[in-house]
Amino acid sequence: MSSLQKIIIDTDPGQDDAVAILLALASPAEIDLLGIVTIAGNVGLARNTLNALKVLELSGRTGVPVHAGCARPLLRPLVTAEHVHGQTGLDGPDLPAPQSEATPGHGVDFIIDRVRAEPEGSVTLCALGPLTNLAMALVKAPDIAPRIGRIVLMGGAYFEVGNITPAAEFNIYVDPEAADIVFRSGVPLTVLPLDVTHQMLATPERIAAFRNMGNRSGAAIADMLGYSERFDLAKYGWPGAPLHDPCVIAWLLAPEIFSGRHCNVAIETTSELTRGMTVTDYWHVTDRPANAMFIRSGDADAFYALLAERIATLP
Ligand code: BDR
Ligand code: CA
């Protein structure tokens, strides 16, 4: 996609969310970031909102509004991931306390208002955390569904199955009812699941490339990815930690480096054992209609080359 795309990023930053936000900000020829909406997920809503403001200040782009969204999932108690992201949710880099504040107005209303205000089909919603805000927006304002151009989300897994439980990926597990609403919404979906993000390993060489860029954004990313390794290398035993959320923005910028299949993805909401499982009809063995472009693989070298090229342009 070459023309300028208007996007809203819904996020719980998160080291990998932060890299995704920076990639979007570093791509002004292709991406017009209308705003950031925060969601409870990796840590609580207040910290995630603070982290979003810190990331914007790191990039020097404080004009982008940050709206706080929902503080908990639709039905369930919030599950967080301090064991992965640290107590602040963004452990690793030493980022200063933000000078700016969140913009007044609830994040769900920001999504609704912007989708209604922009031309039909022109806004892409990028979801990097639990899908609570998107589900709330679709329930509160059903008229926006046909106006949303596409939802591109990091979440779920089929071949890789789960990372927070044996059956489920974290973002879908935290709020499966919200995910169910989004996957049944009829809005065109692109799903970047663990199947592809587990191919995007932040090896020592790739982390060093960020550190050697000579800008503060590159150094901060090196610190973030270095932090993420602590937990993930021990968990997986791979040569680098997977980098999840930037796949969403990379797919917008360079879809040709990814491949997948248009198929049906349904969310398990009733079983406690497999809560939040993304049941993906990858082999088309049912008559369930396709509702998502489910990405299975990507070119990791091309992904990191894109990241390096863009992040080098930031302060
Ligand atoms: C997802 O969970 C979060 O911890 C990450 O930021 C990513 O969005 C990966 O399962
Ligand atoms: Ca995230």
Side-chain angles (χ1 to χ4, degrees):
M1 293 181 205
S2 50
S3 57
L4 191 64
Q5 303 176 66
K6 295 176 187 188
I7 74 167
I8 295 171
I9 296 182
D10 191 285
T11 175
D12 57 346
Q15 293 85 357
D16 61 322
D17 304 68
V19 179
I21 293 167
L22 292 170
L23 177 60
L25 291 168
S27 306
E30 295 102 336
I31 288 180
D32 176 10
L33 180 55
L34 301 177
I36 294 175
V37 177
T38 55
I39 181 65
N42 288 332
V43 294
L45 180 68
R47 278 198 185 278
N48 284 334
T49 305
L50 200 71
N51 291 343
L53 294 166
K54 284 183 180 178
V55 173
L56 283 180
E57 293 191 7
L58 172 68
S59 74
R61 290 280 304 280
T62 46
V64 176
V66 174
H67 291 266
C70 295
R72 45 153 283 197
L74 297 183
L75 298 182
R76 313 202 184 222
L78 177 64
V79 175
T80 54
E82 284 87 355
H83 63 293
V84 180
H85 299 278
Q87 288 306 311
T88 68
L90 192 54
D91 279 18
D94 191 15
L95 299 176
Q99 303 296 305
S100 49
E101 292 184 353
T103 306
H106 196 280
V108 169
D109 293 320
F110 175 76
I111 293 171
I112 293 169
D113 293 346
R114 286 316 299 248
V115 170
R116 282 178 175 161
E118 301 292 339
E120 187 169 333
S122 68
V123 177
T124 297
L125 303 181
C126 297
L128 313 180
L131 293 167
T132 319
N133 289 329
L134 270 56
M136 286 287 283
L138 288 162
V139 169
K140 186 175 181 187
D143 58 287
I144 66 169
R147 299 189 62 83
I148 300 168
R150 178 168 289 273
I151 294 172
V152 188
L153 66 96
M154 190 280 131
Y158 178 58
F159 300 94
E160 290 284 303
V161 197
N163 63 354
I164 186 74
T165 73
E169 182 279 330
F170 178 79
N171 289 339
I172 307 297
Y173 176 82
V174 171
D175 199 341
E177 285 76 19
D180 187 45
I181 289 170
V182 169
F183 277 78
R184 290 176 192 268
S185 68
V187 177
L189 300 178
T190 297
V191 179
L192 284 300
L194 296 181
D195 305 290
V196 63
T197 69
H198 279 183
Q199 297 170 18
M200 304 306 187
L201 301 184
T203 60
E205 297 74 29
R206 289 168 175 158
I207 295 177
F210 288 112
R211 181 154 325 275
N212 295 335
M213 270 172 195
N215 56 352
R216 69 179 188 226
S217 298
I221 288 176
D223 289 340
M224 291 176 200
L225 301 187
Y227 184 85
S228 300
E229 278 197 341
R230 293 176 202 195
F231 174 78
D232 279 346
L233 293 191
K235 180 178 178 185
Y236 299 110
W238 293 338
L243 187 51
H244 306 284
D245 293 337
C247 289
V248 166
I249 307 300
W251 184 82
L252 291 178
L253 295 170
E256 67 279 2
I257 71 177
F258 296 95
S259 61
R261 193 174 275 195
H262 202 223
C263 58
N264 181 272
V265 181
I267 310 297
E268 175 58 58
T269 57
T270 53
S271 159
E272 271 312 302
L273 185 64
T274 57
R275 157 186 170 180
M277 189 172 190
T278 42
V279 180
T280 302
D281 189 6
Y282 201 81
W283 305 117
H284 297 151
V285 295
T286 75
D287 293 332
R288 293 198 282 265
N291 61 347
M293 171 54 72
F294 189 89
I295 303 296
R296 183 177 182 181
S297 58
D299 179 338
D301 286 334
F303 171 74
Y304 277 95
L306 174 68
L307 269 171
E309 174 207 313
R310 299 301 167 96
I311 297 302
T313 67
L314 291 175

